[in-house]
Amino acid sequence: MISAKIVRLRHALAAMAKGGLCRDAGIVLAAFLLTVSAALPARAEDPRIAKNRASERKIFTDREITDGFFKVAFGAEFSVAGRTNRIRKYDGPVRVYVDSRAKPDRRAQVAAVVADIRARVNHLDIAVVDSRDSANVIVTLVRDRELVATIRKFFGRAKAQRIQRSLGPQCLSGFSKDGGYRITHSEVIVVADSGDFIFFDCIYEEMLQALGPINDTAAIPWTMFNDNVQKGFFDLYDQYLLNILYDPRIRPGMTRAQVRALLPQVLPTVRSWVSRVNDLKP
């Protein structure tokens, strides 16, 4: 499944990758990186991210949430193979390996993003591990000048040329799935040396799209899965979408009709969770 997002001169693309699901892996590296990060001098949040947080919309109707869910969880902006009209998600532990090939070294920041996603998405077991062989999500951090070569190495010369001609991406993500629409492996590539705002905007969007919501839409103004929206953090609206997707009642391979029938049961649970973890007032 392939998705693209344009942010001024930045383009985000989701691309296919192959691999298998690994279920037993530790979370030692995540804890270590977060400890190291806490020990370092605190960095002020990028002013654009802080401004986005302060102006974030916090109240959404059921219709606004469900409309966005159907638009991003079904379909794909570009599909290279297979049907896209079914739910696609991980059906087990998600283990993330960070391959840092650039300065600044942002491994601690990726670990913090993963921890933030884990804290805000109920029923999603996701953590950073220290072994590539134990991971089913690979995050590769590269320098901007090495991105083209990295894309060529990952996807081959012919596909890389198509990607560059069409989108000129700076961050990419994508997944492969099995016959039951369970995601088996994801790849994320993010440029590390283009500043904090672009990095965080990229890593949040690409990590979340690697979990299933691969279809960008211009019709929803509150989601980061929109070419014209830049967030830099895990916003409330997208927390609703990911929590619907990872509710245990929403199964890989489900159709729109099957999901729609379950939403009256799922939405109250999701609303309660998102309100609690974000300390929202009634």
Side-chain angles (χ1 to χ4, degrees):
M1 306 301 160
I2 295 179
S3 172
K5 179 179 180 180
I6 302 172
V7 181
R8 296 184 184 146
L9 297 180
R10 177 175 75 80
H11 302 264
L13 163 77
M16 287 296 293
K18 293 183 178 180
L21 180 64
C22 302
R23 292 183 177 271
D24 25 327
I27 59 172
V28 177
L29 184 62
F32 171 75
L33 290 175
L34 289 172
T35 301
V36 171
S37 180
L40 295 174
R43 296 176 60 178
E45 186 172 60
D46 182 276
R48 286 166 292 184
I49 298 176
K51 182 179 179 180
N52 287 344
R53 286 187 192 276
S55 61
E56 177 185 21
R57 180 178 169 182
K58 296 184 177 180
I59 299 175
F60 301 95
T61 66
D62 286 354
R63 182 174 180 178
E64 288 170 336
I65 294 170
T66 57
D67 186 36
F69 179 78
F70 283 112
K71 282 183 167 62
V72 304
F74 290 91
E77 193 165 359
F78 180 75
S79 177
V80 296
R83 300 169 67 181
T84 64
N85 59 344
R86 300 294 181 96
I87 287 291
R88 296 144 298 176
K89 62 186 282 189
Y90 278 97
D91 192 24
V94 180
R95 295 296 179 253
V96 182
Y97 175 77
V98 185
D99 181 2
S100 180
R101 306 179 183 181
K103 298 294 182 182
D105 185 347
R106 294 187 182 269
R107 286 177 296 172
Q109 291 169 316
V110 175
V113 167
V114 170
D116 187 37
I117 294 170
R118 181 176 66 244
R120 297 181 188 278
V121 181
N122 201 9
H123 307 294
L124 175 62
D125 178 4
I126 183 171
V128 175
V129 294
D130 60 358
S131 167
R132 180 184 289 268
D133 291 339
S134 300
N136 44 20
V137 177
I138 308 297
V139 177
T140 305
L141 305 178
V142 300
R143 291 185 292 182
D144 184 64
R145 69 184 186 184
E146 295 173 346
L147 181 64
V148 174
T150 304
I151 294 172
R152 187 180 302 121
K153 181 178 180 181
F154 274 47
F155 304 110
R157 182 177 296 275
K159 185 176 289 186
Q161 288 176 344
R162 289 174 53 200
I163 290 171
Q164 290 304 127
R165 283 197 304 268
S166 300
L167 299 168
Q170 273 194 321
C171 46
L172 306 83
S173 68
F175 56 74
S176 359
K177 63 187 186 305
D178 64 16
Y181 296 90
R182 294 178 291 265
I183 300 176
T184 57
H185 185 85
S186 300
E187 292 281 351
V188 175
I189 305 174
V190 176
V191 168
D193 59 354
S194 292
D196 283 352
F197 182 73
I198 288 180
F199 174 77
F200 282 109
D201 190 43
C202 276
I203 193 63
Y204 269 110
E205 180 184 0
E206 305 307 334
M207 280 297 305
L208 293 173
Q209 288 200 310
L211 296 173
I214 201 70
N215 195 33
D216 279 351
T217 175
I220 307 297
W222 314 289
T223 179
M224 70 178 74
F225 310 127
N226 182 330
D227 290 349
N228 301 311
V229 175
Q230 303 87 52
K231 298 276 190 178
F233 69 103
F234 194 5
D235 59 291
L236 282 169
Y237 185 79
D238 290 316
Q239 288 180 47
Y240 285 122
L241 305 191
L242 268 294
N243 274 284
I244 292 173
L245 182 62
Y246 276 87
D247 186 283
R249 290 165 286 191
I250 305 299
R251 301 297 303 156
M254 278 187 169
T255 64
R256 290 173 182 266
Q258 289 172 318
V259 172
R260 195 176 298 278
L262 286 173
L263 280 179
Q265 305 168 40
V266 171
L267 260 177
T269 306
V270 167
R271 281 193 176 279
S272 176
W273 170 264
V274 172
S275 294
R276 179 155 54 91
V277 298
N278 290 281
D279 196 25
L280 297 180
K281 296 180 180 179

